[in-house]
Amino acid sequence: MTNRKITVAYGDGIGPEIMQATLDILEAAGAALDLDVIEIGEKVYQQGVTTGIKPSAWESLRQSKVFFKAPITTPQGGGFKSLNVTTRKTLGLFANVRPCRVYPPYISTLHPKMDVVIIRENEEDLYAGIEHQQTDEVVQCLKLISRPGSEKIIRFAFEYARAYNRKKVTCFTKDNIMKMSDGLFHKIFDEIGEEYPEIEKDHKIIDIASAILADKPETLDVIVTLNLYGDIVSDIAAQIAGSVGLGGSANIGEGCAMFEAIHGSAPDIAGMGIANPSGLINAAAMMLVHIDQPQIAEKVTNAWLKTIEDGIHTGDIYKEGQSKSKVGTKEFSQAVIDRIDSKPQHLIGAQFKKLDKDKLFKAPKKVKKTKKLVGVDVFIHWDEPGRNPNVLGEKLKECCTASLPLKIINNRGVKVYPDGHSETFCSDHWRCRYIASESSAIDHKQVIELLDQIQAAGFDFIKTEQLYTFDGARGYSLAQGE
Ligand code: NAD
C-alpha cells in the first residue's frame, strides 16, 4: 500500500494529547499515511491572523485534500472567525456526518437501542454569517437556503442510508414557521426521497423532533437536517449516547474532506493527560475508509471496541462497578494498540461502506422560472416619539408612486398599519410593503423613483427586498396579519 498524504493539525487544549494518542494507534494498525503537519488555532490567531489558518496551510490542504484535525479554541470576540466554519465553507465540505451509536452495557446510557446517524448541511443556513446592524435596536442574520445545497445534502443522506442498509431517513425542519426556506428543504426531501422507494421517509418539526431524539432515539435512524438544527441535535445525540468524548465526525465535499472529534478543545482538562481520545479515533476510522484503507479502519475500530468491552475507560465514561480500570489518554491508546488484532466479543464490530461518488455528487436539478417584479419591501429606520404606526403610514402614503402604492407596514413581521393593534410592541425597524396592482408590470426604475421620494421626505431607508413572483407563484412571505 502506498502512503497517502494527509494534512494533520494538533489543535489546542486537549488537541495535542488526543491527536498523538490517535496517530500512535493508526501507526500500530499499519495505516499507510504521509503526515503533513500544519499549525492552526490559538497560536495563529494570536499572530493576528483572524481566520486562525495561514495561507501556507491552505496549500497543504489543497494538495492532500484530506484534513485530520484536532479541536481548536476559538477566541471570543475581537473579530476572529471560527476556523471550523471557514474550513468547511472554503473547501466546500457540504455534508457533516455524525454517527451516534451506543455501547451497552459497557458505557452507561439510558437508550441501549439507539443507533442514529445525523447528516447535517454544513455550508448554508444562518451559518452563512451574513449579519448587519440596521437600526439602533435591530440586527439581522440572513438565513440562506439554496436548492442545489439542499439537493446535495439530502441526496447524500439517502445514499448513505442505502449504502449502510439503513431503513429510514427523517428530515427535521421548522417549515410550519419558515415556510419558504425550511419549506424548500422539506420539498426537496420529498422530491429526492422518491428516488429511494425502499427507504422509509419521515418529516418532523424540529422542536418535537429534538424531544423525540432525547427521549426515544431508538425510533430514529438516519436524520437529515439544516445547519443550525443539525449542530444542536448532533450534540444532544452524542451526549445521550454516552459522552461527547466518543463521537467522531466527517465533513465531506466533492474534492476534499475533513475528519475531527465532535467535541471542543476542553481547556478545563488540557494538559492533564485524562482526555478521552475516542472521538478522534472514531473520526480517524471514517478517514481511513475515505482514503481507501477500510481494512485498517476496521482493525482500529475493532481494537477500540474490544478496549471498551474490556472495561478500560477514561474518566468521562468510567463507572464504578461497571468499568474495570480508569486510565489516562496514553494508557487508553496503549490498550487499543495492545488489542490491534482483536475483535469485540459482544458489541457489533466495525462495518464500513464506501459511498458511490458518482451517485453522491449528481449535478443538481436546473430550475429556470419566469421571474416577475411585483413590488418592494422598503425597510425604514424610524424613531419618532410615540412610534405611532398610523403617523408613519400616513406620511409614507404620500411618498408612494401611482404604480407602487403602499399596502402594509409591519414591525418585526407583524402588521401594524393599516388597522394594527395598539398592544403590538414596535421597534425602530419598519418594513413598508409597496405592491403593484395586478395588471401593471414594474421594473427597477419604479423602485428607484419610489426610493427617491422616500428619501426626499426625510426617511432613512436601510434596505430593500424586491418582491417577485416565479411562474406566477408568490416568492415572498405574507406578514403576520396581512
Ligand atoms: P468542549 O467540548 O471542549 O467541552 C465540554 C465539556 O466536555 C468539558 O467539560 C470537557 O472537559 C468535556 N470534554 C470534551 N471533550 C472531552 C474528551 N475528549 N474527554 C473528556 N472530556 C471531554 O466544549 P466547550 O467547553 O464549549 O468549548 C471549548 C473550546 O472548544 C471553545 O473555544 C470552542 O470554541 C472550541 N470548540 C472547538 C470545536 C472544534 O474545533 N471542532 C468544536 C466545539 C468547540
Side-chain angles (χ1 to χ4, degrees), residues 33 50 57 77 85 108 122 133 135 144 195 199 213 230 234 275 309 316 326 342 357 365 390 417 422 437 473:
L33 301 173
T50 54
V85 176
S108 287
N122 227 4
Q133 175 148 11
T135 66
L144 295 177
E195 296 175 33
I199 297 171
L213 175 66
S234 55
E309 265 189 11
D316 57 318
K326 191 186 207 167
S342 311
K357 248 189 146 186
K365 198 164 110 187
N390 294 322
Y417 175 87
S422 56
S437 62

Side-chain angles (χ1 to χ4, degrees), residues 399 445-458 461:
C399 301
K445 221 168 126 202
Q446 278 136 307
V447 174
I448 292 164
E449 276 166 23
L450 173 70
L451 293 178
D452 261 346
Q453 287 205 31
I454 291 174
Q455 182 186 254
F461 63 85

Side-chain angles (χ1 to χ4, degrees), residues 280-340:
L280 205 55
I281 297 170
N282 283 320
M286 291 195 268
M287 176 182 73
L288 289 166
V289 177
H290 181 81
I291 59 171
D292 293 320
Q293 299 184 23
Q295 296 90 345
I296 312 290
E298 283 181 16
K299 225 175 176 184
V300 167
T301 307
N302 285 335
W304 177 76
L305 287 167
K306 184 75 171 81
T307 309
I308 295 294
E309 265 189 11
D310 287 347
I312 300 170
H313 294 166
T314 44
D316 57 318
I317 53 170
Y318 180 86
K319 201 162 183 207
E320 203 66 53
Q322 198 176 29
S323 308
K324 292 222 174 68
S325 52
K326 191 186 207 167
V327 293
T329 316
K330 270 195 190 143
E331 291 160 283
F332 184 84
S333 65
Q334 189 54 50
V336 177
I337 291 167
D338 294 344
R339 288 162 181 74
I340 213 71

